[in-house]
Amino acid sequence: MTRHHFIEPPKQRRPTAKDTIRQLMAYGLLALALWTLFRSPSAKAGQEFFAVGDVDLAGRPGSIIRSEPMPFSPPDASAFRILYRSVGLHGEPIAVSGVFIKPSTGNDAVRPVVAWAHPTSGVATACAPSLSRGVYRQIQGLEQLLQQGFAVVATDYPGLGGPGVHPYLIGESEGRAVLDSVRAARELLAQSSPTQFAVWGHSQGGQAALYAGLLARSYAPELTLEGIAAAAPVTDLATLMRDDFASSGGKGLTALTLWSWSRVFDIKLDKIVDPAAISTVDTLAGGCIETIFDFLERRIEERPLSKDFLTVTDISAAQPWNDLLKQNSPGVLPREVPVFIAQGLGDGIVRPSVTISYVRQLCNHGTSVDFLAVSKVGHGFIARDTAREAVRWIGDRFAGAIAPNTCAQLPQPQQGD
């Protein structure tokens, strides 16, 4: 056993006000340095990596355009930034970036793949997680997934990293990007037999995971989907936009959605947003969410939206927004796809009753759902706090274990749910 020696420190003078100020300034500079370190894109990820022409886009969805090693890979693993082919909202070929990580040992030919679908990082091109030095810590449960021998692929989604507008909270776009990321991982692993895979996502990524489950059978039949895991998934968009997204912190997410959809679907933003608030919406659309510093910064930027910034009282009653909200709210999954859903009961962005209502729909449809509710946990930390349970659940699906079903333990619906 290692022995520790204690040396009594010399007596120190009582700190003065100037000492305290200097210390606070030092902490501030350290925080700024850390913020810059984790937020700054890798020097290797220049514009040339993401640049594509017609020749680059020619190929099947999910095939690799290019890849490059990433620095500071997790222990006993190799990490790569990848650019792969996918399909845009109008059926056009597009390029999507992401990260691929695999253990250094094991048989790649039969290695299962877990697709991580990230929560909201922003809508600007620079907000791609693959550009962040902190991308590994953003993938919840990464260490446990690698320890179990799984490969992990994490899409950026279209328009983040690569060219074009990010189709924020547009389910079909996210779902295809996730499935094509698994195809890209399959190619990098040189697998020929059907690839076992699962999807694990948080918030926006929870919506992406559910849409991947909805599309998998028809879009990627060569892949074998073993299960979907989601933490605080975005489901009923109309309710979330009307109620939850109007809460503190939620107005910014509403602003990102309107900003993105106005450009993707060519809708005039000034018909629903107060002209005086459009500059604030544009400012929010230009920022990224990666660390606690970003959350604090965005709370300040969001203050001009603290009053009603929409020109309608109910966004779900205005067209074409109402139709778009419905079109991007996931329905029930195929019965044979088991689901793990975690929800923080202290969530002020995705209201627990909305998630429970969706879980109830899955249960009524005959889906095996393992629902985990965690008290006093908010939106930002639910994936982190339930990652071990999610990874354990995913591992059991790959092992062929019978999926647990907690539908009988769901709380009874309350009036108004």
Side-chain angles (χ1 to χ4, degrees):
M1 183 175 70
T2 304
R3 299 184 65 85
H4 299 277
H5 301 279
F6 176 75
I7 301 176
E8 184 176 356
K11 292 183 179 180
Q12 298 180 351
R13 65 181 176 84
R14 193 182 193 88
T16 65
K18 288 185 178 180
D19 293 330
T20 303
I21 293 172
R22 290 193 190 99
Q23 189 175 40
L24 289 173
M25 290 179 64
Y27 284 143
L29 290 172
L30 175 61
L32 180 61
L34 290 172
W35 176 80
T36 304
L37 171 65
F38 286 111
R39 189 178 169 92
S40 299
S42 168
K44 287 199 68 178
Q47 291 291 332
E48 64 278 2
F49 181 85
F50 299 94
V52 292
D54 292 341
V55 175
D56 296 308
L57 294 175
R60 55 182 175 77
S63 56
I64 292 288
I65 297 174
R66 65 181 65 97
S67 65
E68 65 179 15
M70 291 183 65
F72 312 114
S73 59
D76 303 316
S78 301
F80 303 86
R81 182 176 292 104
I82 61 175
L83 192 68
Y84 60 92
R85 299 173 180 90
S86 191
V87 179
L89 288 174
H90 305 291
E92 74 280 13
I94 61 172
V96 181
S97 54
V99 174
F100 171 72
I101 311 163
K102 74 179 187 73
S104 301
T105 59
N107 186 356
D108 286 348
V110 294
R111 193 186 299 280
V113 175
V114 177
W116 164 252
H118 68 82
T120 300
S121 63
V123 294
T125 300
C127 298
S130 71
L131 288 172
S132 169
R133 295 188 187 276
V135 63
Y136 306 129
R137 60 182 171 79
Q138 294 172 13
I139 301 174
Q140 301 302 325
L142 176 61
E143 181 180 354
Q144 292 79 24
L145 290 167
L146 294 173
Q147 287 174 351
Q148 293 196 37
F150 309 145
V152 177
V153 65
T155 180
D156 286 334
Y157 308 135
L160 299 180
V165 176
H166 172 45
Y168 180 60
L169 293 183
I170 298 178
E172 191 171 352
S173 169
E174 296 166 345
R176 286 199 292 237
V178 168
L179 293 170
D180 284 330
S181 75
V182 178
R183 284 170 160 166
R186 171 182 166 85
E187 179 178 315
L188 291 168
L189 293 169
Q191 295 184 350
S192 55
S193 57
T195 298
Q196 273 188 303
F197 81 104
V199 187
W200 163 225
H202 175 204
S203 190
Q204 177 190 7
Q207 180 199 36
L210 294 172
Y211 268 93
L214 289 168
L215 297 172
R217 183 192 297 169
S218 59
Y219 186 75
E222 78 278 15
L223 306 176
T224 303
L225 177 59
E226 301 292 355
I228 297 292
V234 172
T235 53
D236 182 355
L237 274 177
T239 300
L240 293 173
M241 288 287 183
R242 183 173 58 248
D243 298 332
D244 303 283
F245 281 4
S247 64
S248 176
K251 287 182 183 291
L253 299 180
T254 300
L256 293 185
T257 305
L258 298 178
W259 186 93
S260 172
W261 289 12
S262 69
R263 285 155 175 77
V264 170
F265 299 111
D266 193 22
I267 307 170
K268 292 288 187 180
L269 195 60
D270 57 9
K271 290 186 176 181
I272 195 169
V273 176
D274 187 323
I278 288 182
S279 62
T280 301
V281 172
D282 289 338
T283 298
L284 288 169
C288 304
I289 303 172
E290 294 177 12
T291 69
I292 187 62
F293 302 104
D294 300 318
F295 281 113
L296 295 174
E297 179 183 350
R298 292 180 74 81
R299 285 296 176 90
I300 296 172
E301 292 173 346
E302 192 179 311
R303 282 178 184 171
L305 302 182
S306 58
K307 297 180 179 180
D308 292 336
F309 71 101
L310 301 180
T311 57
V312 296
T313 56
D314 183 0
I315 187 174
S316 65
Q319 292 292 10
W321 306 101
N322 183 39
D323 287 344
L324 292 172
L325 292 171
K326 290 179 179 178
Q327 291 167 14
N328 292 287
S329 296
V332 294
L333 297 168
R335 288 186 182 87
E336 67 272 14
V337 179
V339 180
F340 169 92
I341 292 184
Q343 175 66 46
L345 299 182
D347 196 329
I349 301 295
V350 172
R351 186 151 47 91
S353 61
V354 174
T355 299
I356 292 171
S357 177
Y358 179 74
V359 170
R360 194 173 288 116
Q361 292 178 44
L362 293 176
C363 291
N364 292 339
H365 185 64
T367 299
S368 292
V369 184
D370 188 5
F371 179 63
L372 176 60
V374 186
S375 63
K376 300 181 181 179
V377 174
H379 189 72
F381 296 110
I382 184 61
R384 183 201 67 180
D385 290 356
T386 60
R388 287 190 179 276
E389 289 83 356
V391 171
R392 188 181 305 115
W393 183 90
I394 289 170
D396 288 344
R397 304 291 73 74
F398 288 146
I402 297 175
N405 191 337
T406 61
C407 286
Q409 302 170 28
L410 276 181
Q412 294 301 310
Q414 302 295 315
Q415 187 174 2
D417 283 358

